Amino acid sequence: MAAQTESPLAGEDAGPQASGRRRQTLILAAVLLAVFVVPTSISGTGVALPYIGSDLDAGLVPLQWVVNAFNVAFACFTLAWGSVADIIGRVRAFALGATICAAASLVSVFAGDVILLDVARALAGIGGAAIFSCGAALLSTVFDGPARGRAFALFGTVAGLGVSFGPSLSGVLVESAGWRWVFAVHVIVLALVLLAVPTMGRAVQETRTAGTRVDVLGSALFVLAMLLLTTGIAQGSQWGWAGPGVLGLFAGTIVVLALFAAVEKRTAHPMLDLGIVANRRFLALCLVPVAGSFGFVTMLTYLPSYLTAAGGYSSGAAGAIMLMLTVPMLVLPLVAAKLVAKGVSARGITRLSLVLLVVGVVGLQLFEPGVSLWLVAPPMLVTGAGYALAAGLVDGQALELVAPERAGMAAGFLNTMRLGSEAVAVAVYGSLLATVIGGRTRDGIAGQAGAGDPATVAGTVASGNISGPAGQVAEAQRGSFTDLLVHAYDGAFHTVLWVLGGICLVLLALVVALSGGRGTERAKAG
């Protein structure tokens, strides 16, 4: 395959060095603005669901797909966009994705029906997938050396802040202006990003290989596999994880992925060059955000529920406590980049981040109702530090291992691993929590008249809402029943923490084993 040559700032009107730096800054700012929208949309839309449901008179299932449609579409198309970016150009693909996401968000603003809103959110997810994949590939193209490390550190910081503060920002918008403004802000931000596209096009000169085509069959198979997997995860809580529908979706995922691998081996221009995945060092770096999903994103999602349901904190107090988990994102990605620029081993920092995740998650066992915040602050900060140190660092390191003409494909695979593992981790946590609560409360609930089905109660408690089941029992039993649920929730929380810590430890071992060889070898491309 002919090589692609790229001169990051070699346009005809490149100008002097100062002008080149200004253009780099503009490109970085545009990418970071767009990147912030995506995780904010993922984590923040859920806050608006009660208001959307009331306004649009939506049922439970279509209302849940306001969130699920974005996540499923994002996971399905991230890898495809990375491959497309290598063919049509990163700037063009990035601009197309931002346009799709902005247009879909505009439809969301004026949607008068929940089904139309679901469709619009799916389209926004497709555009968001392009923003993440093509944005990372653009930074890899425009920056090199220490500047690339700083750029990816900011990329990781902004993505982490979007996930961490998305619910808070959306909550402010919903309460002050209404749920439609959650999507209106996305339109405004992406419109600003699109204003920078002409300058980005002049600043980035890309030479694309003639004759390369989009791998339509491979893309279709991968999208189908991700659709089956993410739909199975999204519907697991409703259909039952051992139900025939969910098991059928998971089995179908395995079959379609096997077909995908077979097709990619025989395709001249594959959507995913399997030689990239065969690079042990690259694969190890792709597993790092998977550990972050189990150790950090699950806590970001469910710890507030524990604080309110078992800890007795108000929503506002729980949000303030969560800052101890997210504050490291403000500084540590840039600290990691500076350390690497000064000669500290990036591999060592990555491994340290995983060790901190394991230690932090295990340390969260200190949580219990009424615990002093001074006692749990250290493990929360350590967990956040474990996630923050690797945020952005793994992206830059992973793309350095891949030939430049495959940067988009590699970024797509990395971000597919990142978001896909987040969906899996959150679903696994919720399922385990509900299962353990059900086991712990079955006998006790059976003794409470009118308490209802233990599985239903377990699912309700897992969501952080313990008032519903308690309200169904006699007034005289209310206090003891609530105490039973709080005790069960607290015990289940700690049990699941051990599981999460074990998963992070296994991933640490895998990363160490896979990255033990030479770290500078580039993945071979077609």
Side-chain angles (χ1 to χ4, degrees):
M1 179 175 179
Q4 169 182 315
T5 60
E6 297 184 10
S7 180
L9 293 168
E12 294 180 358
D13 58 347
Q17 187 175 12
S19 176
R21 288 176 179 173
R22 284 195 296 271
R23 289 180 178 176
Q24 284 183 320
T25 301
L26 178 63
I27 291 171
L28 178 61
V31 170
L32 294 182
L33 271 176
V35 163
F36 184 73
V37 167
V38 177
T40 300
S41 185
I42 292 172
S43 66
T45 305
V47 175
L49 290 185
Y51 302 87
I52 294 172
S54 176
D55 190 21
L56 301 183
D57 193 24
L60 177 61
V61 173
L63 188 62
Q64 288 180 334
W65 275 95
V66 173
V67 175
N68 291 341
F70 186 98
N71 294 344
V72 170
F74 189 107
C76 287
F77 286 89
T78 301
L79 181 56
W81 272 112
S83 180
V84 168
D86 290 333
I87 296 173
I88 70 172
R90 285 107 196 232
V91 174
R92 189 177 301 176
F94 176 82
L96 181 58
T99 301
I100 293 172
C101 192
S105 298
L106 185 61
V107 173
S108 300
V109 172
F110 296 102
D113 178 80
V114 69
I115 301 302
L116 175 61
L117 183 59
D118 288 342
V119 173
R121 297 306 297 149
L123 290 174
I126 294 173
I131 288 172
F132 247 70
S133 290
C134 306
L138 260 176
L139 296 186
S140 177
T141 300
V142 172
F143 296 94
D144 55 22
R148 173 184 284 182
R150 289 191 295 270
F152 275 106
L154 288 170
F155 184 95
T157 299
V158 169
L161 291 177
V163 171
S164 302
F165 295 103
S168 300
L169 295 175
S170 295
V172 171
L173 287 170
V174 168
E175 292 183 0
S176 61
W179 66 267
R180 296 181 188 275
W181 274 94
V182 173
F183 306 117
V185 169
H186 297 166
V187 176
I188 295 170
V189 173
L190 291 174
L192 293 175
V193 170
L194 290 172
L195 290 176
V197 168
T199 300
M200 295 168 68
R202 291 192 298 269
V204 181
Q205 182 179 355
E206 298 176 297
T207 303
R208 293 170 290 278
T209 305
T212 304
R213 299 174 181 173
V214 176
D215 177 14
V216 176
L217 179 57
S219 298
L221 286 172
F222 188 82
V223 167
L224 177 59
M226 290 299 98
L227 182 62
L228 292 172
L229 175 63
T230 52
T231 301
I233 293 171
Q235 297 298 122
S237 61
Q238 297 179 29
W239 297 351
W241 292 99
V246 172
L247 292 179
L249 288 170
F250 290 158
T253 300
I254 296 173
V255 171
V256 176
L257 282 177
L259 289 174
F260 169 75
V263 168
E264 296 305 275
K265 289 180 180 179
R266 293 168 174 78
T267 302
H269 306 294
M271 169 189 173
L272 175 63
D273 186 342
L274 298 181
I276 292 177
V277 184
N279 184 311
R280 292 163 59 91
R281 171 69 173 149
F282 176 80
L283 185 58
L285 288 167
C286 289
L287 289 176
V288 174
V290 176
S293 295
F294 281 93
F296 177 82
V297 175
T298 52
M299 291 297 99
L300 196 66
T301 304
Y302 281 103
L303 186 55
S305 296
Y306 175 85
L307 291 172
T308 55
Y313 291 96
S314 66
S315 297
I321 294 170
M322 291 298 293
L323 289 175
M324 289 186 287
L325 195 68
T326 56
V327 158
M329 282 300 308
L330 295 172
V331 293
L332 289 187
L334 287 173
V335 169
K338 290 181 179 179
L339 290 175
V340 172
K342 292 181 179 180
V344 178
S345 168
R347 187 184 305 185
I349 293 176
T350 301
R351 293 178 178 179
L352 174 62
S353 73
L354 294 176
V355 171
L356 291 177
L357 270 177
V358 174
V359 172
V361 170
V362 173
L364 292 175
Q365 294 283 347
L366 293 172
F367 263 109
E368 61 181 13
V371 67
S372 169
L373 294 181
W374 292 107
L375 185 63
V376 294
M380 290 186 73
L381 290 169
V382 169
T383 302
Y387 183 81
L389 276 175
L393 182 62
V394 294
D395 295 72
Q397 293 294 311
L399 295 186
E400 282 186 358
L401 297 173
V402 179
E405 65 270 16
R406 286 291 186 257
M409 178 187 294
F413 181 80
L414 174 61
N415 283 296
T416 298
M417 292 285 286
R418 175 178 280 126
L419 185 76
S421 66
E422 288 179 6
V424 170
V426 170
V428 166
Y429 182 103
S431 178
L432 285 175
L433 191 67
T435 300
V436 177
I437 290 174
R440 287 176 177 269
T441 59
R442 189 175 300 276
D443 293 338
I445 291 176
Q448 297 283 354
D453 176 53
T456 302
V457 174
T460 305
V461 175
S463 69
N465 178 14
I466 63 172
S467 60
Q472 298 174 8
V473 299
E475 188 67 28
Q477 298 173 316
R478 182 183 299 272
S480 60
F481 183 62
T482 302
D483 289 343
L484 172 66
L485 293 181
V486 170
H487 179 73
Y489 193 4
D490 180 59
F493 174 78
H494 288 84
T495 299
V496 175
L497 279 180
W498 284 118
V499 176
L500 296 180
I503 292 173
C504 290
L505 184 61
V506 170
L507 288 168
L508 168 61
L510 283 173
V511 169
V512 171
L514 290 171
S515 61
R518 295 174 58 189
T520 58
E521 179 185 358
R522 287 189 182 272
K524 296 181 180 179

